Amino acid sequence: MNPPPEPATPDAEQPPDAEPDAASSPDAAPAPATATPSPRVTLRSDLRASRLDGTVALVVTAAVFVVLYVRIKAETSSTLTVMPFMADTGEFWMYYLSQAFGWSALLWAWGTVIIGLLLSGPRPARLPLSGPRLERLHRTTSLNTIALIVAHALLFAAELIYQDTDSWPSRVGSAVLETFIPGGYNSGTGVWAMPIGQAALYLAVPLGLLFYVRHRIGPKTWRILHRFVLVVYVLSVWHTLLYGTNVWYDGAFRNTVWLLQLPIAALFLLRLLRPARRSERLASPSAHHGSKAGWSLRLTGRVAAVAIIGVLVAVIASGRDGGRTVPPDDTSSTHVHDD
């Protein structure tokens, strides 16, 4: 969910094992005297560039909110099976808005990971955007993903404050504890789903912003940390499948979430099989220059990626992932207070 490895900017360091480009070749023609370097990428410049993408994200969030709201009104949402008391849309509109931001965050995270895998692996011959434009889009979607995740969490906390009837200090304290402190939420499935979502939030923010200080921590360190972005995405999907009441049961909506993971798994496998950096390519054991443990680890990663694709295909084909098939015995909530 964060910017691509080594964007094409003048201050980016070229990896030691990168292929030499035309400009670095001994017999390359000199650059034109009128050529000017591109401006350095900064957080401020990317925030300005992210306005259009952010506007689209808000429009999508509003559309998701309308869909959730209409489904509740029509009593076709599985949310009512899990929590029947939430049929009162006037009372729980903030919860549905929080859900809408959560779905948009997952969708933007999905797009950011897709772009990141395209940039870090073998690129298709034809892409609608050039490399630099795709890199900038990757950065802007990353920043907007962070904003959507934060909005999702803040609205959830606001809903808890609104539903609480204690004093204001107590309301705020309880909401902060349950929304942002691992182990603070002790109701139902949230016992596990909330810490998973919190882990995704607390990893996404620093990993997304580390790009802008990569020259201080070193490009090698940044590349290592960057790989944990996929962990953030997996945690986000896991949080959704555990706690998204719209995909609570096996069915079309839950199956769609799994279907969206198939292109990511395929691109990840392609990234492993044909990495852009020579040092990451899997040679034969006799031609491998590193340790045997490193070679074995890379081989294991490729086998695991193939296995993940197999599991995804099986889940999508069967429509079953071992999730819930019947409502829980207890549909009450400790966060609803009678007047």
Side-chain angles (χ1 to χ4, degrees), residues 253-276:
F253 285 110
R254 193 175 181 93
N255 207 39
T256 300
V257 174
W258 285 111
L259 184 63
L260 287 173
Q261 312 319 311
L262 196 55
I264 288 183
L267 284 173
F268 181 62
L269 176 60
L270 189 62
R271 162 71 174 80
L272 293 175
L273 293 176
R274 296 172 57 193

Side-chain angles (χ1 to χ4, degrees), residues 96-163:
Y96 300 125
L97 186 57
S98 172
Q99 277 197 324
F101 270 100
W103 281 110
S104 295
L106 186 64
L107 180 61
W108 251 248
W110 180 86
T112 304
V113 171
I114 289 286
I115 297 173
L117 289 171
L118 286 173
L119 288 168
S120 61
R123 302 186 190 181
R126 294 182 180 180
L127 284 174
L129 296 176
S130 64
R133 288 180 179 272
L134 199 62
E135 289 170 355
R136 185 174 68 175
L137 179 62
H138 187 37
R139 297 194 303 270
T140 58
T141 56
S142 170
L143 293 173
N144 281 314
T145 298
I146 294 172
L148 291 167
I149 294 174
V150 172
H152 169 61
L154 289 176
L155 281 166
F156 185 84
E159 167 67 15
L160 295 182
I161 293 173
Y162 176 71
Q163 294 298 332

Side-chain angles (χ1 to χ4, degrees), residues 217-233:
I217 63 176
K220 183 176 181 180
T221 300
W222 180 78
R223 281 194 296 269
I224 293 173
L225 293 174
H226 180 77
R227 293 170 182 172
F228 286 93
V229 170
L230 199 57
V231 175
V232 175
Y233 179 73

Side-chain angles (χ1 to χ4, degrees), residues 1 6 19 32 49 68 87 136 159 167 171 208 246-247 278 299 302 306 318 323 325 333 339:
M1 277 188 285
E6 305 308 325
E19 300 285 353
L68 296 177
R136 185 174 68 175
E159 167 67 15
S167 63
R171 293 186 191 189
N246 307 104
V247 291
R278 282 201 302 263
L299 177 62
R302 288 152 174 77
V306 173
S318 66
T325 57
S333 174
D339 295 332

Side-chain angles (χ1 to χ4, degrees), residues 27-305:
D27 54 352
T34 56
T36 57
S38 302
R40 180 172 179 173
V41 175
T42 64
L43 177 58
R44 180 177 297 181
S45 66
D46 277 347
L47 286 173
R48 287 196 298 266
S50 67
R51 291 172 183 171
L52 177 59
D53 180 70
T55 301
V56 175
L58 290 177
V59 171
V60 170
T61 301
V64 173
F65 174 75
V66 170
V67 171
L68 296 177
Y69 194 92
V70 169
R71 285 174 55 80
I72 291 293
K73 279 292 189 181
E75 298 183 353
T76 58
S77 173
S78 60
T79 296
L80 298 182
T81 307
V82 182
M83 298 176 290
F85 55 85
M86 285 201 167
D88 187 350
T89 51
E91 181 73 11
F92 294 101
W93 66 270
M94 201 180 306
Y95 174 80
Y96 300 125
L97 186 57
S98 172
Q99 277 197 324
F101 270 100
W103 281 110
S104 295
L106 186 64
L107 180 61
W108 251 248
W110 180 86
T112 304
V113 171
I114 289 286
I115 297 173
L117 289 171
L118 286 173
L119 288 168
S120 61
R123 302 186 190 181
R126 294 182 180 180
L127 284 174
L129 296 176
S130 64
R133 288 180 179 272
L134 199 62
E135 289 170 355
R136 185 174 68 175
L137 179 62
H138 187 37
R139 297 194 303 270
T140 58
T141 56
S142 170
L143 293 173
N144 281 314
T145 298
I146 294 172
L148 291 167
I149 294 174
V150 172
H152 169 61
L154 289 176
L155 281 166
F156 185 84
E159 167 67 15
L160 295 182
I161 293 173
Y162 176 71
Q163 294 298 332
D164 205 335
T165 57
D166 292 337
S167 63
W168 275 99
S170 178
R171 293 186 191 189
V172 174
S174 296
V176 170
L177 174 66
E178 296 180 359
T179 305
F180 298 104
I181 308 300
Y185 194 95
N186 58 6
S187 177
T189 309
V191 172
W192 293 103
M194 289 296 286
I196 292 172
Q198 289 158 353
L201 169 64
Y202 296 143
L203 285 173
V205 174
L207 287 176
L209 299 179
L210 273 177
F211 169 80
Y212 301 98
V213 294
R214 67 196 182 284
H215 296 292
R216 295 185 180 181
I217 63 176
K220 183 176 181 180
T221 300
W222 180 78
R223 281 194 296 269
I224 293 173
L225 293 174
H226 180 77
R227 293 170 182 172
F228 286 93
V229 170
L230 199 57
V231 175
V232 175
Y233 179 73
V234 170
L235 290 172
S236 301
V237 175
W238 192 5
H239 170 76
T240 301
L241 292 173
L242 279 178
Y243 214 45
T245 52
N246 307 104
V247 291
W248 196 276
Y249 307 113
D250 290 332
F253 285 110
R254 193 175 181 93
N255 207 39
T256 300
V257 174
W258 285 111
L259 184 63
L260 287 173
Q261 312 319 311
L262 196 55
I264 288 183
L267 284 173
F268 181 62
L269 176 60
L270 189 62
R271 162 71 174 80
L272 293 175
L273 293 176
R274 296 172 57 193
R277 297 174 62 83
R278 282 201 302 263
S279 61
E280 296 178 359
R281 297 171 190 172
L282 186 66
S284 62
S286 58
H288 181 66
H289 298 293
S291 65
K292 292 183 178 179
W295 186 89
S296 300
L297 184 61
R298 286 175 183 164
L299 177 62
T300 301
R302 288 152 174 77
V303 172

